[in-house]
Amino acid sequence: MKILAIETSCDETGVAILERVSGDSVTLLGNTLASQIEIHAQYGGVFPALAKRAHAEKIVPLLVEALDQAELIEAVEEPIHLDENLLSFLDEKESTLKEYLVPFLTYYKKPDIDYIAITVGPGLEPALWVGVNAAKALSLAWDIPIIPINHMEGHIVTAAFLTEDRKKFTLSPLEFPLLSLLVSGGHTELVVAEAFGAYKKIGQTRDDAVGEAFDKIARVLGLPYPGGPAVSKLAKEWRDNKEPHLFDLPRPMLHSGDFDFSFSGIKTAVLYTARDLGHEMTDEEKRALAGSFENAVVEVLLKKTMNAIKEYGIQTVIVGGGVAGNTYLRSELTRAVKEVFPEVTLLFPEPWLATDNAVMIGMAAMAQAFSGILSDQPLETIRANGNLSL
Ligand code: KG4
Ligand code: ZN
């Protein structure tokens, strides 16, 4: 069984091809990703109209590249005649995508693919729609069913696949209940699952997502978008050099007694701290501020995660989303879980799969296939939903 997976929920266009080899094992046949970081960097965040256009221009070239990697692409001898009405649903809002799709579908044969997995939400709706419409067009042209995937489930499932190398993955047998700490540019939430597909959100941010806070702090420190890795690098230098602790920042909602978060207060505190210095921040001050910020954020994430493990009798913890690539969060959580709950399994995604990509969408579809609950749906019911929840 082969799955073609497409991801366009935010500022990364991804196309991947996965094949189930045996049991719960998967081979990654093709994997391509186009980042829009340079397009959005000047705005300090994602600009929706530009994101939509970049996805529309990138999907088909990435698809060709991924199929080529998978050795699944074959040019036709005679151009294929496309029914005029087949792609007319793209005319109004997806004309750019259509311009790329028509020659692709005219000059290449239908590949040996069984399903198309597509991110339907949550995310930026205009961006999501490009992927959804591309998947629908391919589904119609090739007569292949679509598997709609929740982006957050992709982040969760990715950490459950153990990698031998960058090509072979095996779904590890997990013990439930499972707790997911989902930390990305758009989300900060704690989710308890009794099985894959049966999720209950127990807490979430009331304002900014943690990745968003990293991105905003980066701007204060004069660092490029996306800010997470850059802020984290400064914080690490501060810690490694054992430089002085210059700033005290709040730990919002640390003792709130629930599993909710709030990060806009820390962001404001960083802003005021920088302003109150009354001078241009020195490099040492920047490192100290980045470090104090990362300490505060990680302390809150850690405390709530530990509380949730206890309260819900958790057996497995998965950290997912872009911020799961944060090395300080990884090391602190690993240390704390080992110390307090040695019987609990803690899983992180491979760093190269932590931020958005299409492999994770294919993995979520594979996990559905393994459990026999593949939810292919009639095309007309498949819609992008920016606020889709687990
Ligand atoms: O999951 P993701 O790729 O996209 C969303 O679905 O949002 O997450 C991107 C977010 C960005 O806010 C980025 O700054 C943050 O994850 N991020 C990090 C790190 N790597 C990415 N934050 C902290 N430390 C990192 N190492
Ligand atoms: Zn994400």
Side-chain angles (χ1 to χ4, degrees), residues 115-183:
Y115 293 95
I116 301 168
I118 175 70
T119 307
V120 290
L124 213 57
E125 224 157 90
L128 286 164
W129 269 117
V130 181
V132 169
N133 281 322
K136 285 188 180 193
L138 297 175
S139 168
L140 285 168
W142 294 339
D143 194 22
I144 297 175
I146 291 184
I147 309 167
I149 296 292
N150 183 309
H151 179 89
M152 302 317 285
E153 181 160 19
H155 277 306
I156 296 174
V157 171
T158 304
F161 274 91
L162 304 180
T163 49
E164 286 168 37
D165 50 41
R166 286 194 176 204
K167 290 261 182 265
K168 283 196 169 45
F169 307 89
T170 303
L171 188 63
S172 56
L174 299 182
E175 284 195 58
F176 291 87
L178 176 141
L179 175 72
S180 295
L181 171 65
L182 296 174
V183 279

Side-chain angles (χ1 to χ4, degrees), residues 151 155 184 356 360:
H151 179 89
H155 277 306
S184 72
D356 294 349
M360 66 188 223

